[in-house]
């Protein structure tokens, strides 16, 4: 397999976060599958010194937030379809599957090739290789599952693309209808912090970041066509903080108070 690109290489960050949380703070997130994969990750990855508690738990918190929303969707629509775009090494299927629904995972071909080596395609999750900003994958899903409610997750994905491209993607998805999408985002000030500190601490200072959301309603208006904001909430609102370092608690509290990082969900 060819070397993963700069952006694709960041797919290891969430995996490390899920492993760290599972071993130390299972009340935030426990991921049995991530623990099983620990010894299969690239040698030396777990020994890198630039990770700290806050940056690792930020990734675990995103997974916990996504899980909560997926489970809520499946409770209301147990036969709905879950689609993870820019899936990387996500193990959400193993934490949230209800033994009924169909799952899809979408990412670039070389990422999906690597994913297959660690996470062979399970029973009801279909792997699709391709560019998430084209419509091939969504057309295939609609052909497979016509008239089925779709819930799309885009975890840690949009930061790396310009707003124009993200808006175009959301408009494209809207054309297919009956779709909800959830993603994490940062404010303009949060983006500045991520550029200067967060990605450097994670060892990926060369991964450029562009997209931010100061107002979900403002973004919905840019998408147009009656796009509805279903959720816009502080990132750490539902994350337990017992046992965390004081510095981690402070960082989480400041982030939420200033709404530097948030979860956004749209009805398209």
């Amino acid at each position: 397999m060819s070397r993963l690109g700069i952006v694709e290489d960041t797919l290891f960050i969430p995996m490390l976060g899920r492993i760290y949380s599972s071993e130390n703070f299972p009340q935030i997130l426990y991921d049995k599958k991530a623990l099983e994969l620990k010894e299969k990750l690239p040698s030396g990855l777990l020994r890198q010194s630039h990770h700290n508690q806050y940056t690792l738990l930020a990734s675990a918190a995103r997974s916990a937030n996504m899980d909560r929303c997926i489970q809520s969707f499946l409770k209301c629509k147990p036969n709905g379809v879950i689609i993870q775009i820019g899936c990387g090494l996500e193990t959400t299927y193993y934490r949230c599957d209800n033994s009924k629904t169909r799952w899809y995972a979408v990412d670039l071909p070389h990422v999906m090739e690597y994913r297959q080596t660690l996470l062979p395609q399970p029973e009801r999750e279909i792997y699709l290789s391709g560019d998430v900003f084209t419509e091939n994958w969504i057309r295939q899903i609609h052909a497979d599952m016509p008239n089925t409610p779709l819930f799309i997750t885009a975890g840690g994905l949009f930061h790396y693309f310009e707003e124009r491209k993200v808006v175009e993607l959301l408009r494209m998805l809207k054309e297919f209808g009956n779709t909800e999408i959830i993603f994490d985002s940062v404010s303009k000030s949060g983006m500045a912090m991520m550029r200067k500190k967060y990605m450097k601490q994670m060892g990926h200072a060369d991964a450029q970041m562009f997209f931010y959301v100061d107002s979900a309603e403002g973004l919905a208006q840019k998408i147009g066509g009656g796009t509805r904001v279903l959720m816009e909430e502080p990132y750490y609102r539902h994350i337990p903080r017992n046992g965390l370092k004081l510095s981690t608690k402070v960082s989480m509290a400041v982030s939420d108070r200033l709404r530097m990082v948030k979860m956004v969900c749209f009805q398209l």
Side-chain angles (χ1 to χ4, degrees):
M1 183 195 69
S2 60
R3 182 183 181 276
L4 293 169
I6 291 171
V7 172
E8 293 85 354
D9 196 38
T10 62
L11 60 85
F12 291 115
I13 298 174
M15 175 67 79
L16 292 178
R18 295 197 303 276
I19 291 171
Y20 178 79
S21 180
S22 299
E23 291 180 335
N24 299 279
F25 301 99
Q27 71 273 23
I28 294 177
L29 183 82
Y30 182 77
D31 190 331
K32 180 181 178 182
K33 178 59 70 171
L35 291 174
E36 291 174 359
L37 295 174
K38 180 177 178 178
E39 300 306 319
K40 297 182 181 180
L41 298 178
S43 60
L45 188 67
L46 296 167
R47 298 192 299 272
Q48 293 180 19
S49 61
H50 46 250
H51 305 294
N52 63 34
Q53 185 181 85
Y54 177 74
T55 55
L56 288 168
L57 289 182
S59 294
R62 179 173 64 222
S63 295
N65 287 332
M66 293 288 187
D67 285 4
R68 187 181 67 258
C69 294
I70 289 171
Q71 290 161 4
S72 177
F73 174 82
L74 290 178
K75 185 176 182 180
C76 297
K77 302 172 182 177
N79 295 314
V81 171
I82 307 298
I83 307 167
Q84 300 177 87
I85 60 174
C87 62
L89 297 178
E90 286 299 332
T91 46
T92 318
Y93 170 88
Y94 301 93
R95 298 191 306 272
C96 298
D97 180 51
N98 65 358
S99 301
K100 297 178 182 179
T101 193
R102 179 77 63 87
W103 293 66
Y104 289 85
V106 187
D107 214 320
L108 295 170
H110 58 292
V111 175
M112 296 306 287
E113 179 186 349
Y114 183 63
R115 178 182 174 86
Q116 280 276 19
T117 65
L118 292 178
L119 293 161
Q121 184 171 290
E123 181 183 1
R124 278 173 296 95
E125 184 173 42
I126 296 174
Y127 291 176
L128 299 178
S129 297
D131 182 349
V132 300
F133 291 94
T134 66
E135 62 182 38
N136 295 344
W137 60 273
I138 192 67
R139 284 193 177 279
Q140 179 173 336
I141 293 170
H142 270 274
D144 291 348
M145 306 290 291
N147 304 314
T148 304
L150 306 181
F151 190 82
I152 300 176
T153 68
L157 175 65
F158 291 158
H159 309 304
Y160 304 103
F161 300 94
E162 294 180 354
E163 182 184 83
R164 171 191 56 79
K165 196 165 186 177
V166 175
V167 170
E168 287 176 356
L169 169 63
L170 297 176
R171 286 175 178 167
M172 177 191 77
L173 296 175
K174 185 172 180 58
E175 294 300 314
F176 289 86
N178 204 14
T179 300
E180 297 177 29
I181 185 168
I182 185 170
F183 57 94
D184 55 310
S185 187
V186 296
S187 64
K188 188 174 183 178
S189 60
M191 175 61 72
M193 180 66 70
M194 289 184 73
R195 285 172 172 166
K196 291 180 180 179
K197 185 177 181 181
Y198 178 77
M199 295 307 290
K200 184 177 181 180
Q201 287 177 341
M202 298 306 287
H204 292 286
D206 47 358
Q208 296 188 45
M209 310 181 81
F210 305 96
F211 180 73
Y212 61 86
V213 177
D214 276 334
S215 166
E217 188 58 48
L219 179 60
Q221 291 175 9
K222 293 177 181 178
I223 300 166
T227 299
R228 291 195 301 126
V229 179
L230 299 180
M231 183 182 73
E232 181 182 17
E233 66 179 29
Y235 194 76
Y236 298 105
R237 173 174 287 176
H238 302 283
I239 303 302
R241 304 181 194 183
N242 51 303
L244 304 186
K245 293 179 180 179
L246 178 60
S247 59
T248 302
K249 292 180 180 179
V250 169
S251 294
M252 289 180 173
V254 170
S255 175
D256 278 4
R257 184 173 181 83
L258 299 180
R259 291 183 172 264
M260 296 176 70
V261 191
K262 65 184 78 175
M263 300 300 299
V264 177
C265 186
F266 288 144
Q267 174 74 57
L268 298 175

